[in-house]
Coordinates of all heavy atoms in Angstrom, one line a residue:
S1 N 9.2 83.9 202.2 CA 9.4 84.9 203.3 C 9.7 84.2 204.6 O 9.3 83.0 204.8 CB 8.2 85.8 203.4 OG 7.2 85.1 204.2
P2 N 10.4 84.8 205.5 CA 10.7 84.1 206.8 C 9.5 83.7 207.6 O 9.5 82.7 208.3 CB 11.5 85.2 207.5 CG 12.1 86.1 206.4 CD 11.1 86.1 205.4
K3 N 8.4 84.5 207.5 CA 7.2 84.1 208.3 C 6.6 82.8 207.7 O 6.2 82.0 208.5 CB 6.2 85.3 208.2 CG 6.5 86.5 209.0 CD 5.4 87.5 208.9 CE 5.8 88.7 209.7 NZ 4.7 89.7 209.7
F4 N 6.6 82.7 206.4 CA 6.1 81.4 205.8 C 7.0 80.2 206.2 O 6.4 79.2 206.6 CB 6.0 81.6 204.3 CG 5.6 80.3 203.6 CD1 4.3 79.9 203.7 CD2 6.5 79.5 202.9 CE1 3.8 78.8 203.1 CE2 6.1 78.4 202.3 CZ 4.7 78.0 202.4
V5 N 8.3 80.4 206.2 CA 9.2 79.3 206.5 C 9.0 78.9 208.0 O 8.9 77.8 208.3 CB 10.6 79.7 206.3 CG1 11.6 78.7 206.8 CG2 10.9 79.9 204.8
H6 N 8.8 79.9 208.8 CA 8.6 79.6 210.3 C 7.2 78.9 210.4 O 7.2 77.9 211.2 CB 8.6 80.9 211.1 CG 8.4 80.7 212.5 ND1 9.3 80.1 213.3 CD2 7.3 81.0 213.3 CE1 8.8 80.1 214.6 NE2 7.6 80.6 214.6
L7 N 6.2 79.3 209.7 CA 4.9 78.6 209.8 C 5.1 77.2 209.3 O 4.5 76.3 210.0 CB 3.9 79.4 208.9 CG 2.5 78.7 208.8 CD1 1.8 78.8 210.2 CD2 1.7 79.4 207.8
M8 N 5.8 77.0 208.2 CA 6.0 75.6 207.7 C 6.8 74.8 208.7 O 6.5 73.6 208.9 CB 6.6 75.6 206.4 CG 5.8 76.2 205.3 SD 4.1 75.4 205.1 CE 4.6 73.8 204.6
Y9 N 7.8 75.3 209.4 CA 8.5 74.6 210.4 C 7.7 74.2 211.5 O 7.7 73.1 212.0 CB 9.7 75.5 210.9 CG 10.5 74.9 212.0 CD1 11.4 73.9 211.7 CD2 10.2 75.3 213.3 CE1 12.1 73.3 212.8 CE2 10.9 74.7 214.3 CZ 11.9 73.7 214.1 OH 12.6 73.1 215.1
Q10 N 6.8 75.1 212.0 CA 5.9 74.8 213.1 C 4.9 73.7 212.7 O 4.6 72.8 213.5 CB 5.2 76.1 213.6 CG 6.1 77.1 214.2 CD 6.7 76.6 215.5 OE1 6.2 75.9 216.2 NE2 8.0 77.1 215.7
W11 N 4.4 73.8 211.5 CA 3.4 72.8 211.0 C 4.1 71.5 210.9 O 3.5 70.5 211.3 CB 2.9 73.3 209.7 CG 1.9 72.3 209.2 CD1 0.6 72.1 209.5 CD2 2.1 71.3 208.1 NE1 0.0 71.1 208.8 CE2 0.9 70.6 207.9 CE3 3.2 71.0 207.3 CZ2 0.8 69.6 207.0 CZ3 3.1 70.0 206.4 CH2 1.9 69.3 206.2
A12 N 5.3 71.4 210.4 CA 6.0 70.1 210.2 C 6.3 69.5 211.6 O 6.1 68.3 211.8 CB 7.3 70.3 209.4
R13 N 6.7 70.3 212.5 CA 6.9 69.9 213.9 C 5.6 69.3 214.5 O 5.6 68.2 215.1 CB 7.5 71.0 214.8 CG 7.9 70.6 216.2 CD 8.5 71.8 216.9 NE 8.9 71.4 218.2 CZ 8.1 71.3 219.3 NH1 6.9 71.6 219.2 NH2 8.6 70.9 220.5
Y14 N 4.5 70.0 214.3 CA 3.2 69.6 214.9 C 2.9 68.2 214.3 O 2.5 67.3 215.0 CB 2.2 70.6 214.6 CG 0.8 70.1 214.9 CD1 0.3 70.0 216.2 CD2 -0.1 69.7 213.8 CE1 -1.0 69.6 216.4 CE2 -1.3 69.2 214.1 CZ -1.8 69.1 215.4 OH -3.0 68.7 215.6
V15 N 3.0 68.1 212.9 CA 2.6 66.8 212.3 C 3.5 65.7 212.8 O 3.0 64.6 213.0 CB 2.8 67.0 210.7 CG1 2.7 65.6 210.0 CG2 1.7 67.9 210.2
L16 N 4.8 65.9 212.9 CA 5.7 64.9 213.4 C 5.3 64.5 214.8 O 5.3 63.2 215.1 CB 7.1 65.4 213.4 CG 8.2 64.5 213.9 CD1 8.3 63.3 212.9 CD2 9.5 65.2 214.0
I17 N 5.0 65.4 215.7 CA 4.6 65.0 217.1 C 3.3 64.2 217.1 O 3.2 63.2 217.8 CB 4.5 66.3 217.9 CG1 5.9 66.9 218.2 CG2 3.8 66.0 219.3 CD1 5.9 68.2 218.8
E18 N 2.4 64.7 216.3 CA 1.1 63.9 216.2 C 1.3 62.5 215.7 O 0.7 61.5 216.1 CB 0.1 64.7 215.3 CG -0.4 65.9 216.0 CD -1.1 65.7 217.3 OE1 -2.0 64.8 217.4 OE2 -0.8 66.4 218.3
D19 N 2.2 62.4 214.7 CA 2.5 61.1 214.1 C 3.1 60.2 215.2 O 2.8 59.0 215.3 CB 3.4 61.2 212.9 CG 3.6 59.9 212.2 OD1 2.6 59.2 211.8 OD2 4.8 59.5 212.1
M20 N 4.1 60.7 215.9 CA 4.7 60.0 217.0 C 3.7 59.5 218.0 O 3.8 58.4 218.5 CB 5.8 60.8 217.6 CG 7.0 60.9 216.7 SD 8.5 61.7 217.4 CE 8.0 62.6 218.7
K21 N 2.8 60.4 218.4 CA 1.7 60.0 219.3 C 0.9 58.9 218.9 O 0.7 57.9 219.6 CB 0.8 61.2 219.6 CG 1.4 62.3 220.5 CD 0.4 63.4 220.6 CE 0.9 64.6 221.3 NZ -0.1 65.7 221.4
R22 N 0.5 58.9 217.6 CA -0.4 57.8 217.1 C 0.4 56.5 217.0 O -0.1 55.5 217.2 CB -0.9 58.2 215.7 CG -2.1 59.1 215.8 CD -2.8 59.2 214.4 NE -3.2 60.6 214.4 CZ -2.7 61.6 213.7 NH1 -1.6 61.3 212.9 NH2 -3.1 62.8 213.7
N23 N 1.7 56.6 216.5 CA 2.5 55.4 216.3 C 2.9 54.8 217.7 O 3.4 53.6 217.7 CB 3.6 55.7 215.4 CG 3.2 55.9 214.0 OD1 2.2 55.4 213.6 ND2 4.0 56.6 213.3
S24 N 2.9 55.6 218.7 CA 3.4 55.0 220.0 C 2.3 54.4 220.8 O 2.5 53.8 221.9 CB 4.0 56.1 220.8 OG 3.1 57.1 221.2
V25 N 1.0 54.5 220.4 CA -0.1 53.9 221.1 C 0.1 52.4 221.2 O 0.3 51.7 220.2 CB -1.5 54.2 220.4 CG1 -2.6 53.4 221.1 CG2 -1.7 55.7 220.5
G26 N 0.1 51.9 222.5 CA 0.2 50.4 222.7 C 1.6 49.9 222.7 O 1.8 48.7 222.7
T27 N 2.6 50.8 222.6 CA 4.0 50.3 222.5 C 4.7 50.5 223.8 O 5.9 50.2 223.9 CB 4.8 51.0 221.4 OG1 4.8 52.4 221.7 CG2 4.2 50.8 220.0
D28 N 4.1 51.0 224.8 CA 4.7 51.3 226.1 C 5.8 52.4 226.0 O 6.7 52.4 226.8 CB 5.2 50.1 226.8 CG 4.1 49.1 227.2 OD1 3.0 49.6 227.5 OD2 4.3 47.9 227.1
I29 N 5.8 53.2 224.9 CA 6.8 54.2 224.8 C 6.1 55.5 224.9 O 5.2 55.9 224.1 CB 7.5 54.1 223.4 CG1 8.1 52.8 223.2 CG2 8.5 55.3 223.2 CD1 8.7 52.6 221.8
P30 N 6.3 56.3 226.0 CA 5.6 57.5 226.2 C 6.1 58.7 225.4 O 6.7 59.7 225.9 CB 5.8 57.8 227.7 CG 7.1 57.2 228.0 CD 7.2 56.0 227.0
F31 N 5.9 58.7 224.1 CA 6.5 59.7 223.2 C 5.8 61.1 223.5 O 6.5 62.1 223.5 CB 6.2 59.4 221.7 CG 7.3 58.6 221.1 CD1 7.0 57.3 220.6 CD2 8.6 59.0 221.0 CE1 7.9 56.5 220.1 CE2 9.6 58.2 220.5 CZ 9.2 57.0 220.0
A32 N 4.5 61.1 223.8 CA 3.9 62.4 224.0 C 4.5 63.1 225.2 O 4.7 64.3 225.2 CB 2.4 62.1 224.2
E33 N 4.8 62.4 226.3 CA 5.4 63.0 227.4 C 6.8 63.4 227.1 O 7.3 64.5 227.6 CB 5.4 62.0 228.6 CG 4.0 61.8 229.2 CD 3.2 60.8 228.4 OE1 3.8 60.0 227.6 OE2 1.9 60.8 228.5
A34 N 7.6 62.6 226.4 CA 9.0 62.9 226.2 C 9.1 64.1 225.3 O 10.0 64.9 225.5 CB 9.6 61.7 225.5
V35 N 8.2 64.3 224.4 CA 8.3 65.4 223.5 C 8.0 66.7 224.2 O 8.6 67.8 223.9 CB 7.3 65.3 222.3 CG1 7.1 66.6 221.5 CG2 7.7 64.2 221.4
K36 N 7.2 66.7 225.2 CA 6.9 67.9 226.0 C 7.9 68.3 227.1 O 7.9 69.3 227.6 CB 5.5 67.7 226.7 CG 4.4 67.6 225.7 CD 3.1 67.4 226.3 CE 2.0 67.3 225.3 NZ 0.7 66.9 225.9
W37 N 8.9 67.4 227.3 CA 9.9 67.6 228.3 C 10.8 68.8 227.9 O 11.0 69.0 226.7 CB 10.8 66.4 228.5 CG 10.2 65.3 229.3 CD1 9.1 65.4 230.1 CD2 10.6 64.0 229.4 NE1 8.8 64.2 230.6 CE2 9.7 63.3 230.2 CE3 11.7 63.3 228.8 CZ2 9.9 61.9 230.5 CZ3 11.8 62.0 229.0 CH2 10.9 61.3 229.9
S38 N 11.2 69.6 228.9 CA 12.1 70.6 228.6 C 13.5 70.1 228.6 O 13.9 69.4 229.6 CB 11.9 71.7 229.6 OG 12.8 72.8 229.4
P39 N 14.3 70.4 227.6 CA 15.7 69.8 227.6 C 16.5 70.5 228.7 O 16.3 71.6 229.1 CB 16.2 70.2 226.2 CG 15.4 71.4 225.8 CD 14.1 71.2 226.4
S40 N 17.5 69.7 229.2 CA 18.3 70.2 230.3 C 19.3 71.3 229.8 O 19.6 72.3 230.5 CB 19.1 69.1 231.0 OG 19.9 68.5 230.0
D41 N 19.7 71.2 228.6 CA 20.6 72.2 228.0 C 19.9 73.0 227.0 O 19.7 72.6 225.8 CB 21.8 71.5 227.3 CG 22.9 72.5 226.8 OD1 22.6 73.7 226.9 OD2 23.9 72.0 226.4
K42 N 19.3 74.1 227.4 CA 18.5 74.9 226.5 C 19.3 75.5 225.4 O 18.7 75.7 224.3 CB 17.8 76.0 227.3 CG 16.9 75.5 228.4 CD 15.7 76.4 228.7 CE 14.9 75.9 229.8 NZ 13.7 75.3 229.3
H43 N 20.5 75.8 225.6 CA 21.3 76.4 224.5 C 21.5 75.4 223.3 O 21.4 75.7 222.2 CB 22.7 76.9 225.0 CG 22.6 78.0 226.0 ND1 22.2 79.3 225.6 CD2 22.9 78.1 227.3 CE1 22.2 80.1 226.6 NE2 22.6 79.4 227.7
M44 N 21.7 74.1 223.7 CA 21.9 73.1 222.7 C 20.6 72.8 222.0 O 20.5 72.7 220.8 CB 22.4 71.8 223.3 CG 22.6 70.7 222.3 SD 23.9 71.1 221.1 CE 25.4 70.8 222.0
A45 N 19.5 72.9 222.7 CA 18.2 72.7 222.1 C 17.9 73.8 221.1 O 17.4 73.6 220.0 CB 17.1 72.6 223.1
K46 N 18.2 75.0 221.5 CA 18.0 76.2 220.6 C 18.9 76.1 219.4 O 18.5 76.4 218.2 CB 18.3 77.5 221.3 CG 18.0 78.7 220.5 CD 18.2 80.0 221.3 CE 17.8 81.2 220.4 NZ 18.0 82.5 221.1
A47 N 20.1 75.6 219.5 CA 21.0 75.5 218.4 C 20.5 74.4 217.4 O 20.5 74.6 216.2 CB 22.4 75.1 218.9
R48 N 20.0 73.3 218.0 CA 19.4 72.2 217.1 C 18.2 72.8 216.3 O 18.0 72.5 215.2 CB 19.0 71.0 217.9 CG 20.2 70.2 218.4 CD 19.7 69.0 219.2 NE 20.9 68.3 219.7 CZ 20.9 67.7 220.9 NH1 19.8 67.7 221.6 NH2 22.0 67.1 221.3
R49 N 17.4 73.5 217.0 CA 16.2 74.1 216.4 C 16.6 75.0 215.2 O 16.0 75.0 214.2 CB 15.3 74.8 217.4 CG 14.1 75.5 216.8 CD 13.6 76.6 217.7 NE 12.7 77.5 216.9 CZ 13.1 78.5 216.2 NH1 14.4 78.8 216.1 NH2 12.2 79.2 215.5
T50 N 17.6 75.8 215.5 CA 18.1 76.8 214.5 C 18.6 76.0 213.3 O 18.4 76.4 212.1 CB 19.2 77.7 215.1 OG1 18.6 78.4 216.2 CG2 19.7 78.7 214.1
V51 N 19.4 75.0 213.5 CA 19.9 74.2 212.4 C 18.8 73.6 211.6 O 18.8 73.6 210.3 CB 20.9 73.1 212.9 CG1 21.2 72.1 211.8 CG2 22.2 73.7 213.5
A52 N 17.8 73.0 212.3 CA 16.7 72.4 211.5 C 15.9 73.5 210.8 O 15.5 73.3 209.6 CB 15.7 71.7 212.5
Y53 N 15.7 74.6 211.4 CA 15.0 75.7 210.7 C 15.7 76.2 209.5 O 15.1 76.4 208.4 CB 14.8 76.9 211.7 CG 14.1 78.1 211.2 CD1 12.7 78.1 211.3 CD2 14.7 79.2 210.7 CE1 12.0 79.2 210.8 CE2 14.1 80.3 210.3 CZ 12.7 80.3 210.3 OH 12.0 81.4 209.8
N54 N 17.0 76.4 209.6 CA 17.8 76.8 208.5 C 17.9 75.8 207.3 O 17.9 76.1 206.2 CB 19.3 77.2 208.9 CG 19.3 78.4 209.7 OD1 18.4 79.3 209.6 ND2 20.3 78.6 210.5
K55 N 17.9 74.5 207.7 CA 17.9 73.4 206.7 C 16.6 73.5 205.9 O 16.6 73.3 204.7 CB 18.1 72.1 207.4 CG 18.2 70.9 206.5 CD 19.6 71.0 205.8 CE 19.9 69.7 205.2 NZ 21.1 69.8 204.4
L56 N 15.5 73.7 206.6 CA 14.2 73.8 206.0 C 14.1 75.0 205.0 O 13.7 74.9 203.9 CB 13.0 73.9 207.0 CG 11.6 73.9 206.5 CD1 11.3 72.6 205.7 CD2 10.6 74.1 207.6
L57 N 14.7 76.1 205.5 CA 14.8 77.3 204.6 C 15.6 77.0 203.4 O 15.2 77.4 202.3 CB 15.4 78.4 205.4 CG 15.6 79.7 204.7 CD1 14.2 80.3 204.2 CD2 16.2 80.8 205.6
Q58 N 16.7 76.3 203.5 CA 17.5 75.9 202.3 C 16.8 75.1 201.4 O 16.9 75.2 200.1 CB 18.8 75.2 202.8 CG 19.8 76.1 203.5 CD 21.0 75.3 204.0 OE1 21.0 74.1 204.0 NE2 21.9 76.0 204.6
I59 N 16.0 74.1 201.9 CA 15.2 73.2 201.0 C 14.2 74.1 200.2 O 14.0 73.9 199.0 CB 14.5 72.1 201.9 CG1 15.6 71.2 202.4 CG2 13.4 71.4 201.0 CD1 15.0 70.2 203.4
F60 N 13.5 75.0 200.9 CA 12.5 75.8 200.2 C 13.2 76.7 199.2 O 12.6 76.9 198.1 CB 11.7 76.7 201.2 CG 10.7 75.9 202.0 CD1 10.5 76.2 203.3 CD2 9.9 74.9 201.4 CE1 9.5 75.5 204.0 CE2 9.0 74.2 202.1 CZ 8.7 74.6 203.4
Q61 N 14.3 77.3 199.5 CA 15.0 78.1 198.5 C 15.5 77.3 197.3 O 15.4 77.8 196.2 CB 16.2 78.8 199.2 CG 15.8 79.9 200.2 CD 17.0 80.4 201.0 OE1 18.0 79.7 201.2 NE2 16.9 81.6 201.5
R62 N 16.0 76.1 197.6 CA 16.4 75.3 196.4 C 15.2 74.9 195.6 O 15.3 74.9 194.3 CB 17.1 74.0 197.0 CG 17.8 73.2 195.9 CD 18.6 72.0 196.5 NE 19.4 72.4 197.7 CZ 19.3 71.7 198.8 NH1 18.4 70.7 199.0 NH2 20.0 72.1 199.8
K63 N 14.1 74.5 196.2 CA 12.9 74.2 195.4 C 12.4 75.4 194.6 O 12.1 75.2 193.4 CB 11.8 73.7 196.3 CG 10.5 73.3 195.6 CD 9.6 72.7 196.6 CE 8.2 72.5 196.0 NZ 8.0 71.6 195.0
Y64 N 12.5 76.6 195.2 CA 12.1 77.8 194.4 C 13.0 78.0 193.3 O 12.5 78.3 192.1 CB 12.1 79.0 195.4 CG 11.8 80.3 194.7 CD1 10.4 80.6 194.4 CD2 12.8 81.2 194.4 CE1 10.1 81.8 193.7 CE2 12.5 82.4 193.7 CZ 11.2 82.7 193.4 OH 10.9 83.8 192.8
F65 N 14.3 77.9 193.5 CA 15.3 78.1 192.4 C 15.1 77.1 191.3 O 15.1 77.5 190.1 CB 16.7 77.9 193.0 CG 17.8 78.1 191.9 CD1 18.1 79.3 191.4 CD2 18.4 76.9 191.4 CE1 19.1 79.4 190.4 CE2 19.4 77.0 190.4 CZ 19.7 78.3 189.9
V66 N 14.9 75.8 191.6 CA 14.6 74.8 190.6 C 13.3 75.1 189.8 O 13.3 75.0 188.6 CB 14.6 73.4 191.2 CG1 14.1 72.3 190.2 CG2 16.0 73.0 191.7
T67 N 12.3 75.5 190.5 CA 11.0 75.8 189.9 C 11.2 77.0 188.9 O 10.7 77.0 187.8 CB 10.0 76.2 190.9 OG1 9.8 75.1 191.8 CG2 8.6 76.5 190.2
Q68 N 12.0 78.0 189.3 CA 12.2 79.2 188.4 C 13.0 78.8 187.2 O 12.7 79.3 186.1 CB 12.9 80.3 189.2 CG 12.1 80.9 190.3 CD 10.7 81.5 189.8 OE1 10.7 82.2 188.8 NE2 9.7 81.1 190.5
E69 N 14.0 78.0 187.4 CA 14.8 77.5 186.3 C 14.0 76.7 185.3 O 14.1 76.8 184.1 CB 16.0 76.7 186.8 CG 17.1 77.5 187.4 CD 17.8 78.4 186.4 OE1 18.2 77.9 185.3 OE2 18.0 79.6 186.7
H70 N 13.1 75.9 185.8 CA 12.3 75.0 185.0 C 11.3 75.9 184.2 O 11.1 75.7 183.0 CB 11.5 74.1 185.8 CG 10.6 73.1 185.1 ND1 11.1 72.3 184.1 CD2 9.3 72.9 185.1 CE1 10.1 71.6 183.5 NE2 9.0 72.0 184.2
K71 N 10.8 77.0 184.8 CA 9.8 77.9 184.1 C 10.6 78.6 183.0 O 10.0 78.9 182.0 CB 9.2 78.9 185.1 CG 8.1 78.3 185.9 CD 7.6 79.3 186.9 CE 6.5 78.8 187.8 NZ 6.0 79.8 188.7
R72 N 11.8 79.0 183.3 CA 12.6 79.8 182.3 C 12.9 78.9 181.1 O 12.9 79.4 180.0 CB 13.9 80.2 183.0 CG 14.6 81.3 182.2 CD 15.8 81.9 182.8 NE 15.7 82.0 184.3 CZ 16.7 82.0 185.1 NH1 17.9 81.8 184.6 NH2 16.5 82.1 186.4
K73 N 13.1 77.6 181.2 CA 13.4 76.7 180.1 C 12.1 76.4 179.4 O 11.9 76.1 178.3 CB 14.1 75.5 180.6 CG 15.5 75.8 181.1 CD 16.2 74.6 181.5 CE 17.6 74.9 182.1 NZ 18.3 73.8 182.5

């Protein structure tokens, strides 16, 4: 369902940001601050988010299809 996909997208984004925060400790790279910045071109940022969201949806749909095919066989 679209709500589940959106939840998974938000969770994956959260995990990625937390991972970047942990891996940037002591490297003088302010990832935490950079991630929170608002992009100058909001339309481009929204387009990138939509592409990533749709790609995740395609992955889930493909996995579901393969699982159903495997069960059928």
Side-chain angles (χ1 to χ4, degrees):
S1 82
K3 287 182 181 182
F4 177 73
V5 171
H6 181 69
L7 176 67
M8 293 305 295
Y9 174 80
Q10 293 296 327
W11 179 77
R13 184 177 183 276
Y14 169 78
V15 170
L16 181 64
I17 290 171
E18 291 301 311
D19 185 57
M20 288 187 336
K21 285 180 188 178
R22 277 191 219 104
N23 289 333
S24 68
V25 172
T27 60
D28 296 328
I29 302 172
F31 274 117
E33 290 80 18
V35 168
K36 293 178 184 176
W37 286 343
S38 178
S40 58
D41 186 354
K42 297 208 185 259
H43 294 292
M44 184 59 81
K46 185 175 180 181
R48 286 184 184 142
R49 180 201 160 275
T50 302
V51 168
Y53 181 84
N54 288 338
K55 188 71 167 173
L56 183 63
L57 179 60
Q58 289 173 355
I59 290 168
F60 284 142
Q61 288 173 334
R62 192 175 314 125
K63 182 174 169 65
Y64 177 77
F65 177 75
V66 169
T67 303
Q68 294 303 314
E69 286 293 311
H70 182 56
K71 284 180 181 179
R72 199 175 319 153
K73 292 179 182 180

